PDB file of all heavy atoms in Angstrom:
ATOM      1  N   GLU A1023      21.000 -10.244   1.404  1.00  0.00           N
ATOM      2  CA  GLU A1023      21.928 -11.283   0.970  1.00  0.00           C
ATOM      3  C   GLU A1023      21.170 -12.551   0.619  1.00  0.00           C
ATOM      4  O   GLU A1023      20.258 -12.960   1.352  1.00  0.00           O
ATOM      5  CB  GLU A1023      22.958 -11.578   2.059  1.00  0.00           C
ATOM      6  CG  GLU A1023      23.979 -10.473   2.265  1.00  0.00           C
ATOM      7  CD  GLU A1023      25.068 -10.881   3.242  1.00  0.00           C
ATOM      8  OE1 GLU A1023      24.859 -11.880   3.971  1.00  0.00           O
ATOM      9  OE2 GLU A1023      26.111 -10.213   3.291  1.00  0.00           O
ATOM     10  N   GLY A1024      21.529 -13.177  -0.488  1.00  0.00           N
ATOM     11  CA  GLY A1024      20.922 -14.441  -0.879  1.00  0.00           C
ATOM     12  C   GLY A1024      19.408 -14.342  -0.973  1.00  0.00           C
ATOM     13  O   GLY A1024      18.859 -13.459  -1.632  1.00  0.00           O
ATOM     14  N   ASP A1025      18.737 -15.262  -0.280  1.00  0.00           N
ATOM     15  CA  ASP A1025      17.274 -15.295  -0.288  1.00  0.00           C
ATOM     16  C   ASP A1025      16.657 -14.636   0.939  1.00  0.00           C
ATOM     17  O   ASP A1025      15.470 -14.826   1.229  1.00  0.00           O
ATOM     18  CB  ASP A1025      16.793 -16.758  -0.368  1.00  0.00           C
ATOM     19  CG  ASP A1025      17.064 -17.376  -1.734  1.00  0.00           C
ATOM     20  OD1 ASP A1025      17.154 -16.613  -2.720  1.00  0.00           O
ATOM     21  OD2 ASP A1025      17.184 -18.619  -1.807  1.00  0.00           O
ATOM     22  N   GLU A1026      17.449 -13.833   1.672  1.00  0.00           N
ATOM     23  CA  GLU A1026      16.924 -13.201   2.881  1.00  0.00           C
ATOM     24  C   GLU A1026      15.799 -12.214   2.577  1.00  0.00           C
ATOM     25  O   GLU A1026      14.979 -11.899   3.440  1.00  0.00           O
ATOM     26  CB  GLU A1026      18.044 -12.490   3.640  1.00  0.00           C
ATOM     27  CG  GLU A1026      19.023 -13.453   4.310  1.00  0.00           C
ATOM     28  CD  GLU A1026      20.118 -12.706   5.058  1.00  0.00           C
ATOM     29  OE1 GLU A1026      20.060 -11.453   5.095  1.00  0.00           O
ATOM     30  OE2 GLU A1026      21.025 -13.371   5.596  1.00  0.00           O
ATOM     31  N   GLY A1027      15.767 -11.732   1.334  1.00  0.00           N
ATOM     32  CA  GLY A1027      14.729 -10.779   0.967  1.00  0.00           C
ATOM     33  C   GLY A1027      13.471 -11.428   0.418  1.00  0.00           C
ATOM     34  O   GLY A1027      12.565 -10.732  -0.041  1.00  0.00           O
ATOM     35  N   LYS A1028      13.392 -12.738   0.459  1.00  0.00           N
ATOM     36  CA  LYS A1028      12.257 -13.444  -0.122  1.00  0.00           C
ATOM     37  C   LYS A1028      10.998 -13.202   0.709  1.00  0.00           C
ATOM     38  O   LYS A1028      10.986 -13.380   1.922  1.00  0.00           O
ATOM     39  CB  LYS A1028      12.560 -14.940  -0.200  1.00  0.00           C
ATOM     40  CG  LYS A1028      11.639 -15.712  -1.125  1.00  0.00           C
ATOM     41  CD  LYS A1028      12.142 -17.144  -1.323  1.00  0.00           C
ATOM     42  CE  LYS A1028      11.261 -17.905  -2.289  1.00  0.00           C
ATOM     43  NZ  LYS A1028      11.753 -19.293  -2.504  1.00  0.00           N
ATOM     44  N   ILE A1029       9.911 -12.825   0.023  1.00  0.00           N
ATOM     45  CA  ILE A1029       8.656 -12.518   0.696  1.00  0.00           C
ATOM     46  C   ILE A1029       7.506 -12.632  -0.299  1.00  0.00           C
ATOM     47  O   ILE A1029       7.683 -12.426  -1.496  1.00  0.00           O
ATOM     48  CB  ILE A1029       8.709 -11.089   1.296  1.00  0.00           C
ATOM     49  CG1 ILE A1029       7.454 -10.795   2.125  1.00  0.00           C
ATOM     50  CG2 ILE A1029       8.926 -10.045   0.229  1.00  0.00           C
ATOM     51  CD1 ILE A1029       7.520  -9.463   2.871  1.00  0.00           C
ATOM     52  N   ARG A1030       6.326 -12.985   0.190  1.00  0.00           N
ATOM     53  CA  ARG A1030       5.151 -13.038  -0.686  1.00  0.00           C
ATOM     54  C   ARG A1030       4.711 -11.617  -1.042  1.00  0.00           C
ATOM     55  O   ARG A1030       4.733 -10.720  -0.202  1.00  0.00           O
ATOM     56  CB  ARG A1030       4.012 -13.787  -0.006  1.00  0.00           C
ATOM     57  CG  ARG A1030       4.258 -15.285   0.134  1.00  0.00           C
ATOM     58  CD  ARG A1030       3.069 -16.005   0.740  1.00  0.00           C
ATOM     59  NE  ARG A1030       2.762 -15.506   2.085  1.00  0.00           N
ATOM     60  CZ  ARG A1030       1.855 -16.040   2.884  1.00  0.00           C
ATOM     61  NH1 ARG A1030       1.137 -17.077   2.484  1.00  0.00           N
ATOM     62  NH2 ARG A1030       1.638 -15.538   4.087  1.00  0.00           N
ATOM     63  N   LEU A1031       4.282 -11.448  -2.283  1.00  0.00           N
ATOM     64  CA  LEU A1031       3.873 -10.120  -2.748  1.00  0.00           C
ATOM     65  C   LEU A1031       2.772  -9.525  -1.887  1.00  0.00           C
ATOM     66  O   LEU A1031       2.782  -8.336  -1.572  1.00  0.00           O
ATOM     67  CB  LEU A1031       3.403 -10.198  -4.209  1.00  0.00           C
ATOM     68  CG  LEU A1031       4.488 -10.445  -5.252  1.00  0.00           C
ATOM     69  CD1 LEU A1031       3.849 -10.788  -6.592  1.00  0.00           C
ATOM     70  CD2 LEU A1031       5.372  -9.212  -5.392  1.00  0.00           C
ATOM     71  N   GLY A1032       1.818 -10.342  -1.510  1.00  0.00           N
ATOM     72  CA  GLY A1032       0.698  -9.848  -0.721  1.00  0.00           C
ATOM     73  C   GLY A1032       1.057  -9.432   0.685  1.00  0.00           C
ATOM     74  O   GLY A1032       0.257  -8.782   1.372  1.00  0.00           O
ATOM     75  N   ASP A1033       2.262  -9.797   1.129  1.00  0.00           N
ATOM     76  CA  ASP A1033       2.693  -9.444   2.478  1.00  0.00           C
ATOM     77  C   ASP A1033       3.500  -8.151   2.529  1.00  0.00           C
ATOM     78  O   ASP A1033       3.919  -7.728   3.608  1.00  0.00           O
ATOM     79  CB  ASP A1033       3.545 -10.583   3.073  1.00  0.00           C
ATOM     80  CG  ASP A1033       2.726 -11.831   3.356  1.00  0.00           C
ATOM     81  OD1 ASP A1033       1.508 -11.696   3.576  1.00  0.00           O
ATOM     82  OD2 ASP A1033       3.298 -12.937   3.332  1.00  0.00           O
ATOM     83  N   ILE A1034       3.739  -7.528   1.377  1.00  0.00           N
ATOM     84  CA  ILE A1034       4.545  -6.305   1.355  1.00  0.00           C
ATOM     85  C   ILE A1034       3.636  -5.092   1.533  1.00  0.00           C
ATOM     86  O   ILE A1034       2.948  -4.668   0.612  1.00  0.00           O
ATOM     87  CB  ILE A1034       5.354  -6.164   0.055  1.00  0.00           C
ATOM     88  CG1 ILE A1034       6.105  -7.453  -0.281  1.00  0.00           C
ATOM     89  CG2 ILE A1034       6.343  -5.009   0.195  1.00  0.00           C
ATOM     90  CD1 ILE A1034       6.877  -7.408  -1.575  1.00  0.00           C
ATOM     91  N   ILE A1035       3.646  -4.552   2.739  1.00  0.00           N
ATOM     92  CA  ILE A1035       2.890  -3.339   3.049  1.00  0.00           C
ATOM     93  C   ILE A1035       3.774  -2.140   2.712  1.00  0.00           C
ATOM     94  O   ILE A1035       4.980  -2.155   2.977  1.00  0.00           O
ATOM     95  CB  ILE A1035       2.510  -3.274   4.544  1.00  0.00           C
ATOM     96  CG1 ILE A1035       1.995  -4.635   5.035  1.00  0.00           C
ATOM     97  CG2 ILE A1035       1.516  -2.168   4.803  1.00  0.00           C
ATOM     98  CD1 ILE A1035       0.796  -5.150   4.313  1.00  0.00           C
ATOM     99  N   CYS A1036       3.189  -1.078   2.135  1.00  0.00           N
ATOM    100  CA  CYS A1036       3.980   0.078   1.731  1.00  0.00           C
ATOM    101  C   CYS A1036       3.173   1.354   1.924  1.00  0.00           C
ATOM    102  O   CYS A1036       1.943   1.345   1.781  1.00  0.00           O
ATOM    103  CB  CYS A1036       4.401  -0.072   0.258  1.00  0.00           C
ATOM    104  SG  CYS A1036       5.455   1.251  -0.351  1.00  0.00           S
ATOM    105  N   VAL A1037       3.860   2.437   2.207  1.00  0.00           N
ATOM    106  CA  VAL A1037       3.189   3.725   2.407  1.00  0.00           C
ATOM    107  C   VAL A1037       2.724   4.351   1.094  1.00  0.00           C
ATOM    108  O   VAL A1037       1.968   5.329   1.105  1.00  0.00           O
ATOM    109  CB  VAL A1037       4.133   4.721   3.122  1.00  0.00           C
ATOM    110  CG1 VAL A1037       4.467   4.254   4.522  1.00  0.00           C
ATOM    111  CG2 VAL A1037       5.407   4.947   2.304  1.00  0.00           C
ATOM    112  N   ASP A1038       3.137   3.812  -0.040  1.00  0.00           N
ATOM    113  CA  ASP A1038       2.903   4.471  -1.330  1.00  0.00           C
ATOM    114  C   ASP A1038       1.428   4.615  -1.695  1.00  0.00           C
ATOM    115  O   ASP A1038       1.074   5.456  -2.525  1.00  0.00           O
ATOM    116  CB  ASP A1038       3.623   3.711  -2.442  1.00  0.00           C
ATOM    117  CG  ASP A1038       5.128   3.895  -2.390  1.00  0.00           C
ATOM    118  OD1 ASP A1038       5.609   4.484  -1.396  1.00  0.00           O
ATOM    119  OD2 ASP A1038       5.827   3.455  -3.316  1.00  0.00           O
ATOM    120  N   ALA A1039       0.555   3.805  -1.100  1.00  0.00           N
ATOM    121  CA  ALA A1039      -0.871   3.888  -1.422  1.00  0.00           C
ATOM    122  C   ALA A1039      -1.464   5.248  -1.062  1.00  0.00           C
ATOM    123  O   ALA A1039      -2.487   5.651  -1.624  1.00  0.00           O
ATOM    124  CB  ALA A1039      -1.641   2.779  -0.711  1.00  0.00           C
ATOM    125  N   LEU A1040      -0.817   5.990  -0.142  1.00  0.00           N
ATOM    126  CA  LEU A1040      -1.315   7.317   0.207  1.00  0.00           C
ATOM    127  C   LEU A1040      -1.282   8.259  -0.996  1.00  0.00           C
ATOM    128  O   LEU A1040      -1.999   9.268  -1.023  1.00  0.00           O
ATOM    129  CB  LEU A1040      -0.490   7.912   1.348  1.00  0.00           C
ATOM    130  CG  LEU A1040      -0.557   7.190   2.700  1.00  0.00           C
ATOM    131  CD1 LEU A1040       0.234   7.954   3.742  1.00  0.00           C
ATOM    132  CD2 LEU A1040      -2.003   7.018   3.160  1.00  0.00           C
ATOM    133  N   ALA A1041      -0.477   7.931  -2.008  1.00  0.00           N
ATOM    134  CA  ALA A1041      -0.412   8.755  -3.216  1.00  0.00           C
ATOM    135  C   ALA A1041      -1.742   8.757  -3.964  1.00  0.00           C
ATOM    136  O   ALA A1041      -2.044   9.704  -4.704  1.00  0.00           O
ATOM    137  CB  ALA A1041       0.701   8.261  -4.139  1.00  0.00           C
ATOM    138  N   LEU A1042      -2.534   7.718  -3.796  1.00  0.00           N
ATOM    139  CA  LEU A1042      -3.848   7.667  -4.447  1.00  0.00           C
ATOM    140  C   LEU A1042      -4.758   8.785  -3.939  1.00  0.00           C
ATOM    141  O   LEU A1042      -5.601   9.298  -4.673  1.00  0.00           O
ATOM    142  CB  LEU A1042      -4.504   6.307  -4.220  1.00  0.00           C
ATOM    143  CG  LEU A1042      -3.743   5.092  -4.754  1.00  0.00           C
ATOM    144  CD1 LEU A1042      -4.441   3.801  -4.344  1.00  0.00           C
ATOM    145  CD2 LEU A1042      -3.591   5.161  -6.273  1.00  0.00           C
ATOM    146  N   VAL A1043      -4.544   9.174  -2.675  1.00  0.00           N
ATOM    147  CA  VAL A1043      -5.274  10.309  -2.106  1.00  0.00           C
ATOM    148  C   VAL A1043      -4.568  11.611  -2.462  1.00  0.00           C
ATOM    149  O   VAL A1043      -5.194  12.595  -2.863  1.00  0.00           O
ATOM    150  CB  VAL A1043      -5.402  10.163  -0.583  1.00  0.00           C
ATOM    151  CG1 VAL A1043      -6.074  11.389   0.033  1.00  0.00           C
ATOM    152  CG2 VAL A1043      -6.174   8.896  -0.230  1.00  0.00           C
ATOM    153  N   ARG A1044      -3.263  11.627  -2.342  1.00  0.00           N
ATOM    154  CA  ARG A1044      -2.479  12.841  -2.603  1.00  0.00           C
ATOM    155  C   ARG A1044      -2.734  13.405  -3.994  1.00  0.00           C
ATOM    156  O   ARG A1044      -2.837  14.615  -4.190  1.00  0.00           O
ATOM    157  CB  ARG A1044      -0.995  12.520  -2.429  1.00  0.00           C
ATOM    158  CG  ARG A1044      -0.068  13.733  -2.533  1.00  0.00           C
ATOM    159  CD  ARG A1044       1.385  13.297  -2.473  1.00  0.00           C
ATOM    160  NE  ARG A1044       2.293  14.434  -2.443  1.00  0.00           N
ATOM    161  CZ  ARG A1044       3.069  14.766  -1.435  1.00  0.00           C
ATOM    162  NH1 ARG A1044       3.033  14.041  -0.331  1.00  0.00           N
ATOM    163  NH2 ARG A1044       3.884  15.807  -1.506  1.00  0.00           N
ATOM    164  N   PHE A1045      -2.860  12.521  -4.993  1.00  0.00           N
ATOM    165  CA  PHE A1045      -3.064  12.972  -6.366  1.00  0.00           C
ATOM    166  C   PHE A1045      -4.540  13.023  -6.760  1.00  0.00           C
ATOM    167  O   PHE A1045      -4.860  13.293  -7.920  1.00  0.00           O
ATOM    168  CB  PHE A1045      -2.287  12.074  -7.334  1.00  0.00           C
ATOM    169  CG  PHE A1045      -0.802  12.298  -7.288  1.00  0.00           C
ATOM    170  CD1 PHE A1045       0.031  11.418  -6.602  1.00  0.00           C
ATOM    171  CD2 PHE A1045      -0.225  13.392  -7.913  1.00  0.00           C
ATOM    172  CE1 PHE A1045       1.397  11.624  -6.547  1.00  0.00           C
ATOM    173  CE2 PHE A1045       1.147  13.606  -7.865  1.00  0.00           C
ATOM    174  CZ  PHE A1045       1.966  12.720  -7.179  1.00  0.00           C
ATOM    175  N   GLY A1046      -5.442  12.752  -5.792  1.00  0.00           N
ATOM    176  CA  GLY A1046      -6.853  12.975  -6.030  1.00  0.00           C
ATOM    177  C   GLY A1046      -7.617  11.846  -6.685  1.00  0.00           C
ATOM    178  O   GLY A1046      -8.740  12.044  -7.153  1.00  0.00           O
ATOM    179  N   LEU A1047      -7.056  10.633  -6.686  1.00  0.00           N
ATOM    180  CA  LEU A1047      -7.748   9.513  -7.316  1.00  0.00           C
ATOM    181  C   LEU A1047      -8.747   8.828  -6.388  1.00  0.00           C
ATOM    182  O   LEU A1047      -9.726   8.240  -6.852  1.00  0.00           O
ATOM    183  CB  LEU A1047      -6.726   8.475  -7.812  1.00  0.00           C
ATOM    184  CG  LEU A1047      -6.073   8.753  -9.161  1.00  0.00           C
ATOM    185  CD1 LEU A1047      -5.215  10.022  -9.114  1.00  0.00           C
ATOM    186  CD2 LEU A1047      -5.207   7.576  -9.582  1.00  0.00           C
ATOM    187  N   ARG A1048      -8.475   8.880  -5.093  1.00  0.00           N
ATOM    188  CA  ARG A1048      -9.351   8.267  -4.106  1.00  0.00           C
ATOM    189  C   ARG A1048      -9.571   9.250  -2.965  1.00  0.00           C
ATOM    190  O   ARG A1048      -8.684  10.024  -2.618  1.00  0.00           O
ATOM    191  CB  ARG A1048      -8.752   6.953  -3.557  1.00  0.00           C
ATOM    192  CG  ARG A1048      -8.511   5.870  -4.596  1.00  0.00           C
ATOM    193  CD  ARG A1048      -9.796   5.304  -5.139  1.00  0.00           C
ATOM    194  NE  ARG A1048      -9.565   4.232  -6.106  1.00  0.00           N
ATOM    195  CZ  ARG A1048      -9.397   4.425  -7.413  1.00  0.00           C
ATOM    196  NH1 ARG A1048      -9.424   5.653  -7.909  1.00  0.00           N
ATOM    197  NH2 ARG A1048      -9.201   3.394  -8.224  1.00  0.00           N
ATOM    198  N   ALA A1049     -10.761   9.177  -2.371  1.00  0.00           N
ATOM    199  CA  ALA A1049     -11.066  10.017  -1.215  1.00  0.00           C
ATOM    200  C   ALA A1049     -10.301   9.509   0.003  1.00  0.00           C
ATOM    201  O   ALA A1049      -9.995   8.312   0.109  1.00  0.00           O
ATOM    202  CB  ALA A1049     -12.559  10.005  -0.937  1.00  0.00           C
ATOM    203  N   ALA A1050     -10.000  10.413   0.909  1.00  0.00           N
ATOM    204  CA  ALA A1050      -9.273  10.027   2.124  1.00  0.00           C
ATOM    205  C   ALA A1050     -10.054   9.028   2.955  1.00  0.00           C
ATOM    206  O   ALA A1050      -9.468   8.237   3.702  1.00  0.00           O
ATOM    207  CB  ALA A1050      -8.949  11.267   2.954  1.00  0.00           C
ATOM    208  N   ASP A1051     -11.388   9.058   2.839  1.00  0.00           N
ATOM    209  CA  ASP A1051     -12.220   8.130   3.620  1.00  0.00           C
ATOM    210  C   ASP A1051     -12.735   6.956   2.786  1.00  0.00           C
ATOM    211  O   ASP A1051     -13.664   6.259   3.203  1.00  0.00           O
ATOM    212  CB  ASP A1051     -13.398   8.863   4.258  1.00  0.00           C
ATOM    213  CG  ASP A1051     -14.318   9.516   3.224  1.00  0.00           C
ATOM    214  OD1 ASP A1051     -13.989   9.493   2.024  1.00  0.00           O
ATOM    215  OD2 ASP A1051     -15.363  10.062   3.633  1.00  0.00           O
ATOM    216  N   ASP A1052     -12.140   6.737   1.626  1.00  0.00           N
ATOM    217  CA  ASP A1052     -12.477   5.558   0.829  1.00  0.00           C
ATOM    218  C   ASP A1052     -12.169   4.309   1.674  1.00  0.00           C
ATOM    219  O   ASP A1052     -11.098   4.219   2.290  1.00  0.00           O
ATOM    220  CB  ASP A1052     -11.636   5.551  -0.453  1.00  0.00           C
ATOM    221  CG  ASP A1052     -11.954   4.389  -1.375  1.00  0.00           C
ATOM    222  OD1 ASP A1052     -11.695   3.225  -0.976  1.00  0.00           O
ATOM    223  OD2 ASP A1052     -12.437   4.611  -2.490  1.00  0.00           O
ATOM    224  N   PRO A1053     -13.080   3.342   1.747  1.00  0.00           N
ATOM    225  CA  PRO A1053     -12.853   2.153   2.587  1.00  0.00           C
ATOM    226  C   PRO A1053     -11.537   1.429   2.275  1.00  0.00           C
ATOM    227  O   PRO A1053     -10.862   0.944   3.200  1.00  0.00           O
ATOM    228  CB  PRO A1053     -14.067   1.267   2.278  1.00  0.00           C
ATOM    229  CG  PRO A1053     -15.139   2.222   1.877  1.00  0.00           C
ATOM    230  CD  PRO A1053     -14.436   3.329   1.134  1.00  0.00           C
ATOM    231  N   HIS A1054     -11.168   1.355   0.990  1.00  0.00           N
ATOM    232  CA  HIS A1054      -9.897   0.700   0.639  1.00  0.00           C
ATOM    233  C   HIS A1054      -8.706   1.467   1.226  1.00  0.00           C
ATOM    234  O   HIS A1054      -7.726   0.865   1.675  1.00  0.00           O
ATOM    235  CB  HIS A1054      -9.740   0.624  -0.884  1.00  0.00           C
ATOM    236  CG  HIS A1054     -10.741  -0.264  -1.557  1.00  0.00           C
ATOM    237  ND1 HIS A1054     -11.808   0.223  -2.264  1.00  0.00           N
ATOM    238  CD2 HIS A1054     -10.836  -1.612  -1.624  1.00  0.00           C
ATOM    239  CE1 HIS A1054     -12.515  -0.780  -2.753  1.00  0.00           C
ATOM    240  NE2 HIS A1054     -11.949  -1.910  -2.368  1.00  0.00           N
ATOM    241  N   ILE A1055      -8.799   2.787   1.210  1.00  0.00           N
ATOM    242  CA  ILE A1055      -7.734   3.615   1.763  1.00  0.00           C
ATOM    243  C   ILE A1055      -7.681   3.483   3.276  1.00  0.00           C
ATOM    244  O   ILE A1055      -6.604   3.305   3.871  1.00  0.00           O
ATOM    245  CB  ILE A1055      -7.934   5.099   1.361  1.00  0.00           C
ATOM    246  CG1 ILE A1055      -7.755   5.280  -0.155  1.00  0.00           C
ATOM    247  CG2 ILE A1055      -6.973   6.004   2.136  1.00  0.00           C
ATOM    248  CD1 ILE A1055      -6.358   5.054  -0.671  1.00  0.00           C
ATOM    249  N   LEU A1056      -8.833   3.569   3.937  1.00  0.00           N
ATOM    250  CA  LEU A1056      -8.869   3.462   5.396  1.00  0.00           C
ATOM    251  C   LEU A1056      -8.307   2.122   5.860  1.00  0.00           C
ATOM    252  O   LEU A1056      -7.573   2.049   6.859  1.00  0.00           O
ATOM    253  CB  LEU A1056     -10.302   3.647   5.904  1.00  0.00           C
ATOM    254  CG  LEU A1056     -10.899   5.053   5.729  1.00  0.00           C
ATOM    255  CD1 LEU A1056     -12.352   5.070   6.202  1.00  0.00           C
ATOM    256  CD2 LEU A1056     -10.082   6.096   6.497  1.00  0.00           C
ATOM    257  N   ASN A1057      -8.652   1.042   5.143  1.00  0.00           N
ATOM    258  CA  ASN A1057      -8.092  -0.277   5.473  1.00  0.00           C
ATOM    259  C   ASN A1057      -6.574  -0.267   5.361  1.00  0.00           C
ATOM    260  O   ASN A1057      -5.858  -0.791   6.223  1.00  0.00           O
ATOM    261  CB  ASN A1057      -8.664  -1.335   4.534  1.00  0.00           C
ATOM    262  CG  ASN A1057     -10.110  -1.683   4.851  1.00  0.00           C
ATOM    263  OD1 ASN A1057     -10.626  -1.349   5.906  1.00  0.00           O
ATOM    264  ND2 ASN A1057     -10.766  -2.360   3.920  1.00  0.00           N
ATOM    265  N   THR A1058      -6.091   0.333   4.276  1.00  0.00           N
ATOM    266  CA  THR A1058      -4.652   0.344   4.034  1.00  0.00           C
ATOM    267  C   THR A1058      -3.919   1.182   5.069  1.00  0.00           C
ATOM    268  O   THR A1058      -2.852   0.786   5.554  1.00  0.00           O
ATOM    269  CB  THR A1058      -4.362   0.872   2.611  1.00  0.00           C
ATOM    270  OG1 THR A1058      -5.088   0.096   1.658  1.00  0.00           O
ATOM    271  CG2 THR A1058      -2.872   0.794   2.298  1.00  0.00           C
ATOM    272  N   VAL A1059      -4.481   2.330   5.436  1.00  0.00           N
ATOM    273  CA  VAL A1059      -3.864   3.176   6.464  1.00  0.00           C
ATOM    274  C   VAL A1059      -3.763   2.411   7.783  1.00  0.00           C
ATOM    275  O   VAL A1059      -2.746   2.497   8.487  1.00  0.00           O
ATOM    276  CB  VAL A1059      -4.674   4.479   6.645  1.00  0.00           C
ATOM    277  CG1 VAL A1059      -4.225   5.228   7.903  1.00  0.00           C
ATOM    278  CG2 VAL A1059      -4.515   5.377   5.423  1.00  0.00           C
TER     279      VAL A1059
END
């Protein structure tokens, strides 16, 4: 409701980054992936 959903873009954590591994673009042990997990 209203502005209750207001948030900085950089603060939105999401599980979707795991797709980078699922589809073979990044290794499961890629440092960027491990940080995100």
